[in-house]
Amino acid sequence: MTGPDVPEALDLAALRPRLPSPVQAVDDERFARHGVRLLLKRDDLIHPDLIGNKWRKLAPNLRAAAGRPLVTFGGAYSNHLRATAAAGRLLGLTTIGVVRGQELADRPLNPSLTRCAADGMRLHFVDRSTYRRKTEPETLAAILRAVAAEDAYVVPEGGSNSPAVRGCRALGEELRGHADVVALACGTGGTLAGLTAGLAPGQRALGVPVLKGGFLTAEVTALQERAFGGRRGTWSLDDRFHFGGYARTPPGLHAFAADFERRHGLPVERLYVAKMLYGLVALAEEGGFARGTTVAAVVTGRPLD
C-alpha cells in the first residue's frame, strides 16, 4: 500500500511490498468432487516481516502515528504484536506491546514474544482484569503512564480500527472477478469488515472466527459503521471451527494442517489459517457451496519460524 495512505517520511514503498498479492489455484479433490474450485489469495507473500492482513492494517496506522511511539495490545501469541514490532525495527519506530497476563512477566518468553523483544518492542504485562478494561479512558491513560508513553499513538488489539478497516478494502478490490466466495479467518474482525467493502456486487465473504463466544457479528458491524457509515457488502460468519478458542490447536488440527502442507506445498499457520482451511473442507463436504462455486481462501499469515 503506497500513495496517500502512507506517509512519505516512512517510505513504506522502500520495503517493497508484493501488491497485489498473488492468487494461486490449487487442485484439491476434497473440493473438486463437489464441483468447487479453490483459490489461495497469498497475502502471506506481501512482505517477509509484515505479513498478510498485518501489512494492510498497519500501513494506514503508521501514517496516522506520524513517527510517534506505537503502543498496542495482544496476547502471548499475538501475530499483531509481532508485526508491529517488526514494523518498528524496519522503520526505526519505538514500539511498546501491552501483553495480557501479568503472570507471564516472570516466565521465559515464548517464541512469539521473544521475536517481539528481538525486534526492539518493549513488553509490558498487565493483569487480565486491567486488560479487559484497556479501552476505558482512565485505564488506558494509566497504562500509558506506566509505560512512560503518554504521547504515543495507540493501535487497538489486532490492529482493527477505522484506518485499518479502510486499508483492508483493497484486499476485496484485488479479488474482484476472481471468486464467488472469499473466506478468511477472523480474530477481531477488521480484515473482514474492510475486504467485504471492496468486493464486487454478487461476491460474498465468509469469516471463520478463531475465538469462541459468538460476539464477532456485532464487532464487524460496528467496525463497518465507524469506517464507512454503515454495513457494507455481503458477509457471514461460521463459528464452528475455533477448536475451543484462540491459540487452541489440538492434534487433529495439526494433522489436518500437515496434510494440507503435503498436498499443496503451503506452510500452514495454525492459529488462524489452518482453522479457516479446515472449515472450508468441512463446508464443501456438507454441500455448503453450490456446484460451480469458486472459493478464494485468504492466507493471512504463515508459521512462526
Side-chain angles (χ1 to χ4, degrees):
M1 185 180 301
T2 58
D5 287 330
V6 177
E8 292 181 4
L10 290 176
D11 193 18
L12 291 190
L15 300 181
R16 304 190 181 204
R18 188 177 182 181
L19 291 171
S21 60
V23 177
Q24 171 188 345
V26 294
D27 183 11
D28 193 312
E29 73 274 10
R30 295 171 295 184
F31 295 88
R33 65 172 171 257
H34 300 288
V36 178
R37 181 171 178 244
L38 178 65
L39 306 176
L40 301 178
K41 175 63 167 167
R42 297 294 304 274
D43 263 21
D44 58 312
L45 299 178
I46 289 177
H47 189 275
D49 294 301
L50 303 180
I51 298 166
N53 59 343
K54 303 310 175 189
W55 175 282
R56 297 184 189 274
K57 291 164 122 182
L58 276 173
N61 276 292
L62 291 167
R63 176 180 184 270
R68 284 181 288 163
L70 296 175
V71 171
T72 194
F73 303 83
Y77 295 92
S78 170
N79 292 325
H80 168 67
L81 286 182
R82 288 211 318 273
T84 304
R89 170 175 55 82
L90 292 166
L91 299 167
L93 302 173
T94 298
T95 61
I96 301 163
V98 179
V99 184
R100 180 179 62 247
Q102 179 63 46
E103 71 278 5
L104 301 175
D106 298 322
R107 299 178 187 174
L109 298 179
N110 67 25
S112 185
L113 294 178
T114 297
R115 178 70 61 82
C116 291
D119 279 340
M121 175 174 274
R122 181 153 53 95
L123 300 175
H124 178 72
F125 297 88
V126 299
D127 64 83
R128 293 169 188 271
S129 174
T130 299
Y131 192 90
R132 284 193 295 271
R133 294 182 284 108
K134 63 186 177 297
T135 60
E136 298 175 5
E138 290 185 3
T139 302
L140 177 59
I143 291 172
L144 295 178
R145 286 195 300 272
V147 298
E150 284 111 323
D151 63 339
Y153 179 83
V154 177
V155 181
E157 182 178 25
S160 290
N161 56 10
S162 291
V165 169
R166 290 190 288 269
C168 288
R169 182 168 47 192
L171 173 57
E173 293 169 350
E174 290 173 22
L175 283 163
R176 290 185 177 187
H178 286 284
D180 305 294
V181 179
V182 177
L184 77 160
C186 300
T188 53
T191 305
L192 177 65
L195 87 85
T196 307
L199 294 175
Q203 291 181 295
R204 66 181 177 93
L206 171 65
V208 177
V210 302
L211 289 82
K212 62 182 179 179
F215 60 88
L216 209 54
T217 297
E219 292 292 325
V220 174
T221 300
L223 285 166
Q224 288 196 325
E225 288 174 348
R226 290 195 291 270
F228 306 120
R231 184 160 173 149
R232 291 290 185 273
T234 301
W235 56 270
S236 62
L237 298 166
D238 194 322
D239 285 295
R240 295 178 294 160
F241 305 111
H242 53 67
F243 283 83
Y246 186 69
R248 299 292 178 86
T249 56
L253 182 66
H254 283 283
F256 169 85
D259 176 68
F260 199 97
E261 290 173 336
R262 286 192 296 269
R263 290 171 183 258
H264 304 300
L266 171 75
V268 177
E269 187 272 335
R270 273 31 175 193
L271 303 187
Y272 288 86
V273 177
K275 294 180 179 182
M276 179 264 298
L277 292 172
Y278 184 99
L280 291 181
V281 170
L283 284 165
E285 294 289 349
E286 295 171 2
F289 305 114
R291 297 188 73 85
T293 298
T294 298
V295 178
V298 182
V299 182
T300 50
R302 63 170 177 261
L304 177 65
D305 295 334

